[in-house]
Amino acid sequence: MISFCKMQATGNDFIIIDCLNQTFRFSYSNLTKFLCDRRYGVGADGVIFIEKSNIAEYKMRIFNQDGTEAGMCGNGIRCLAKYLYEENFVDVKNFKIETLSGIKEIEIIVENKTVVYVKVSMGNPVFEFNKIPVIFPNVIEKQLESLKINIEDKEYIGFPMSMGNPHCVIFEDDLKNLKLEEIGSIIENYKYFPNKTNVEFVKVMNRNKIKVMVWERGVGRTLGCGTGACSATVVSILKNYINNEVVVELEGGIVKVKYDVDTNSVILMGNAEKVFKGEIDI
């Protein structure tokens, strides 16, 4: 019997499992694929496993729906931060969580013992193509600005970067008629991306707001993506389309992102919600 908590942030849903007080014989990858199945399991975009850490309060291991491990997840870490406080794993409002992409600093806003808002210092965006990674012909610069992806009769201009996971940001005015499932899947697996990539289609609404549709690597279409919102914001700021702090409207809700160009640091802000707790016999 495995105990879990189902949570969501901007419609991006996760199963959180405490590995400190319970053990199981299944690999994280196999367990994730079973639990995320929306017909035969609990149903989620991914699973977060809580482990001990020697360098932070706790360590987050996050696995995508297809069983692959991700380096970081902005929505997932907000869910975890809320869970850790409300389940009495931590009793402070500022703490650290270890991830595969480094230590992330957390600040929570609490009202009546309930976490209503979470701020995450997401770290530094990475633009060096060998670190994202992205590979394609005739590139000799250390930093990559844009690349062209041809699908059928249309050319997409993508801006690759990493926020702990590889991302490809594409500006698209007509999100309403975007064939996300078709185009997103092709770009995720495109030859330029050896580790595949997340894809964000971005429409600039004004200097203070962008709208983003997400195709997540190893998951598919999701209602939200924290690192995706950060990537879309960073590229939009560097292109001078928006101000340095904006509202990001995702299909599942709204987050705020602030990017300091001088320090190359990103802060992700938003809420998270507990859906239900349960036990499953596997």
Side-chain angles (χ1 to χ4, degrees):
M1 192 76 70
I2 296 176
S3 299
F4 67 89
C5 181
K6 174 80 176 285
M7 302 190 71
Q8 66 86 15
T10 63
N12 202 190
D13 56 346
F14 306 93
I15 298 163
I16 296 181
I17 295 179
D18 170 13
C19 297
L20 305 173
N21 300 305
Q22 61 182 336
T23 58
F24 41 83
R25 65 184 185 276
F26 306 99
S27 72
Y28 285 179
S29 178
N30 288 336
L31 183 59
T32 295
K33 286 187 282 188
F34 173 76
L35 291 176
C36 286
D37 191 297
R38 297 189 184 276
R39 293 180 175 83
Y40 299 102
V42 177
D45 293 325
V47 177
I48 295 170
F49 298 92
I50 306 171
E51 294 185 341
K52 293 180 181 178
S53 172
N54 295 321
I55 54 177
E57 273 75 5
Y58 293 98
K59 181 177 182 179
M60 176 180 86
R61 299 276 303 279
I62 180 162
F63 285 73
N64 296 319
Q65 196 178 79
D66 68 350
T68 58
E69 186 167 11
M72 176 53 187
C73 177
N75 286 335
I77 202 169
R78 294 205 318 279
C79 289
L80 178 57
K82 179 181 175 75
Y83 178 86
L84 290 174
Y85 184 84
E86 294 184 356
E87 296 297 321
N88 300 313
F89 285 79
V90 297
D91 58 4
V92 293
K93 297 175 184 177
N94 292 272
F95 53 94
K96 297 177 181 179
I97 296 176
E98 180 187 355
T99 75
L100 289 184
S101 298
I103 296 175
K104 307 303 176 186
E105 296 182 358
I106 307 295
E107 178 184 350
I108 56 174
I109 310 300
V110 179
E111 295 179 0
N112 299 320
K113 298 183 180 180
T114 299
V115 177
V116 296
Y117 207 65
V118 182
K119 297 181 181 180
V120 184
S121 296
M122 298 289 287
N124 307 122
V126 174
F127 304 101
E128 295 182 18
F129 62 87
N130 61 328
K131 293 181 179 179
I132 295 173
V134 56
I135 301 170
F136 66 102
N138 304 320
V139 175
I140 59 174
E141 297 87 354
K142 289 185 178 180
Q143 292 193 350
L144 180 67
E145 181 180 340
S146 64
L147 55 83
K148 296 178 180 179
I149 299 172
N150 294 298
I151 301 176
E152 296 180 351
D153 58 346
K154 184 170 181 178
E155 181 179 81
Y156 294 87
I157 305 299
F159 295 87
M161 59 170 289
S162 174
M163 280 299 310
N165 301 318
H167 289 268
C168 182
V169 176
I170 297 171
F171 293 97
E172 179 65 53
D173 287 333
D174 188 11
L175 294 180
K176 184 177 181 181
N177 295 309
L178 177 68
K179 299 178 180 178
L180 183 63
E181 284 78 7
E182 177 184 339
I183 304 303
S185 178
I186 292 173
I187 296 176
E188 174 195 1
N189 296 281
Y190 208 74
K191 59 185 178 181
Y192 296 156
F193 303 103
N195 294 342
K196 302 186 178 182
T197 188
N198 298 280
V199 189
E200 287 75 43
F201 294 93
V202 183
K203 181 176 182 178
V204 178
M205 308 302 289
N206 54 55
R207 294 289 302 181
N208 299 306
K209 183 178 180 180
I210 59 176
K211 191 172 183 178
V212 180
M213 293 181 69
V214 177
W215 181 268
E216 282 201 57
R217 177 183 65 162
V219 183
R221 184 176 192 160
T222 57
L223 299 181
C225 175
T227 56
C230 293
S231 298
T233 299
V234 168
V235 174
S236 297
I237 290 172
L238 293 178
K239 298 292 289 181
N240 197 30
Y241 294 154
I242 59 174
N243 299 323
N244 71 336
E245 183 173 346
V246 296
V247 170
V248 181
E249 180 184 338
L250 299 149
E251 289 191 272
I254 288 174
V255 296
K256 289 185 178 180
V257 180
K258 182 177 181 180
Y259 175 49
D260 188 322
V261 177
D262 293 333
T263 60
N264 192 35
S265 58
V266 178
I267 296 176
L268 173 67
M269 298 164 276
N271 63 356
E273 299 294 337
K274 189 179 297 180
V275 182
F276 61 86
K277 290 183 177 180
E279 292 182 330
I280 188 167
D281 191 6
I282 300 179

